[in-house]
Amino acid sequence: MIIDTNDLKILDISMPITYSMPVYKGKEFKRPIISIDGDFSTGSAYETRLELNLHTGTHLDTPKHMIPYGYTLEELELSKVITKCRVLDLTDVKEKITDKDLIRFDIKEGEFILLKTKNSFEDILENDFIYVDKDGAEYLSKLKIKGVGIDSLGIERAQPNHETHISLFNSDVMILEGLMLKDIEEDEYLLSAAPIYIPGAEAAPVRAYLMK
Amino acid sequence: MIIDTNDLKILDISMPITYSMPVYKGKEFKRPIISIDGDFSTGSAYETRLELNLHTGTHLDTPKHMIPYGYTLEELELSKVITKCRVLDLTDVKEKITDKDLIRFDIKEGEFILLKTKNSFEDILENDFIYVDKDGAEYLSKLKIKGVGIDSLGIERAQPNHETHISLFNSDVMILEGLMLKDIEEDEYLLSAAPIYIPGAEAAPVRAYLMK
């Protein structure tokens, strides 16, 4: 793919970070706390302070999230998350994405895929969101894809043993969560999903966007 | 500039976020606090929590930082910070960057420039860092550049009235602070400096990188 910087189309796919944003399963500790360190009533500058769980909003996970000796952000090569990607339209899926839903897309080794589902359209992000089930994750892991992004705050749901995350991590598949894909058409793009750099952390917020 | 995604060279220019990182003037409230929301001793997932002043580390400022009715992040167009840029070698500057230091670079309207100084090489970030003085800022403002980045945690120093910030903000010049430019050669690049998206905030952390 060739990108001409004089004719760059940039598509934001990130979730706004606010106190009232949707958070994973509605858990209170996932809610960001935004406060003021200084304003014009007390000084000559305005400064905001942010406190958040690193899995809030649009973010990238690394294996340490679910695997005790998994790697963390300082081992992430940026070329893994700044890369060609393909958006797949799975808006017809009712509950969860399985291998049977994915097979029709002819996904190839090394691809980074973004799963557009009805999460991007309906108010289901905190509870009944569409997710990738164990079989779907194993299918992607066996294909050795580079990464998978989804428009839910978790790529799995109702899996006490975290089979979806662990299958993907074991195949070193990048996991990008909390995307907003409502206005994004099924197509190829250049993805930029570089997490803010916190050495030792198992995840970090990302301002994810697509370029065309 | 043409970018071929099959031959992408990505250069990270972001500062690691850690408790012991350099912070503006060594102020304690600028130091990030990293804690654990859950780990494998209490559950089946590892989750980190981050608390930080939004001007810590590599970040983008918007006018609200210094101007009471200045705009905040929701009004930022990403095309202002994902754009062609030019790195200028100012490593010979001793204390501050003035108009006289900048004139030799023949800076043009609409350019985004990154100032590489001895901040990238010496342990001076918390106190005696190189900054842009009022005359330097006015020179850039009059040229109507698109943005300016610097390898210090503040683009100004010892200016109680914030002339440098205010002059740049009044001309809608983007201000990017906390870059790491030690290994970056004077040249043109595609800059990606998209801040995490916190509506209403006057700044936000950025995973800034260059593409070639």
Side-chain angles (χ1 to χ4, degrees), chain A residues 31-57:
Chain A
R31 217 164 269 297
I33 298 166
I34 297 165
S35 58
I36 305 300
D37 268 344
D39 65 15
F40 301 110
S41 68
T42 54
S44 57
Y46 192 95
E47 298 204 1
T48 301
R49 190 173 191 81
L50 172 69
E51 181 181 343
L52 89 171
N53 175 286
L54 295 180
H55 302 264
T56 294

Side-chain angles (χ1 to χ4, degrees), chain B residues 38-203:
Chain B
D39 66 16
F40 302 109
S41 69
T42 55
S44 56
Y46 192 95
E47 299 202 1
T48 301
R49 189 173 193 81
L50 172 69
E51 182 181 343
L52 89 170
N53 174 286
L54 295 180
H55 301 264
T56 294
T58 308
H59 68 281
L60 185 87
D61 283 345
T62 75
K64 173 82 176 275
H65 180 35
M66 298 296 182
I67 298 175
Y69 296 96
Y71 71 79
T72 51
L73 282 173
E74 70 276 24
E75 287 179 52
L76 173 74
E77 283 171 45
L78 285 182
S79 60
K80 291 209 160 185
V81 290
I82 302 161
T83 183
K84 215 171 71 170
C85 78
R86 183 154 62 107
V87 175
L88 309 183
D89 189 330
L90 285 145
T91 49
D92 60 329
V93 169
K94 297 278 185 290
E95 185 202 349
K96 59 188 184 178
I97 298 167
T98 70
D99 51 342
K100 291 167 199 67
D101 297 308
L102 292 166
I103 202 158
R104 63 180 143 136
F105 293 104
D106 191 27
I107 300 166
K108 299 273 196 302
E109 180 175 339
E111 278 203 279
F112 203 120
I113 58 165
L114 305 185
L115 308 173
K116 176 181 178 176
T117 75
K118 67 193 181 83
N119 294 328
S120 285
F121 297 87
E122 296 182 18
D123 184 19
I124 52 179
L125 277 181
E126 294 208 339
N127 294 296
D128 300 321
F129 57 85
I130 307 296
Y131 62 103
V132 177
D133 84 348
K134 186 189 166 197
D135 294 340
E138 283 178 0
Y139 178 79
L140 295 174
S141 296
K142 276 186 199 141
L143 278 175
K144 295 189 199 309
I145 64 164
K146 189 173 189 175
V148 55
I150 189 164
D151 53 2
S152 66
L153 291 157
I155 196 165
E156 70 177 41
R157 178 157 69 81
Q159 292 177 38
N161 295 320
H162 308 301
E163 295 88 347
T164 289
H165 268 101
I166 289 173
S167 169
L168 295 168
F169 285 143
N170 278 335
S171 296
D172 201 19
V173 175
M174 298 291 109
I175 302 175
L176 192 55
E177 296 170 326
L179 300 178
M180 293 187 84
L181 300 174
K182 188 175 171 184
D183 300 323
I184 308 298
E185 284 174 36
E186 188 172 85
D187 203 350
E188 290 194 339
Y189 302 89
L190 178 61
L191 166 72
S192 175
I196 64 167
Y197 185 28
I198 311 166
E202 80 298 339

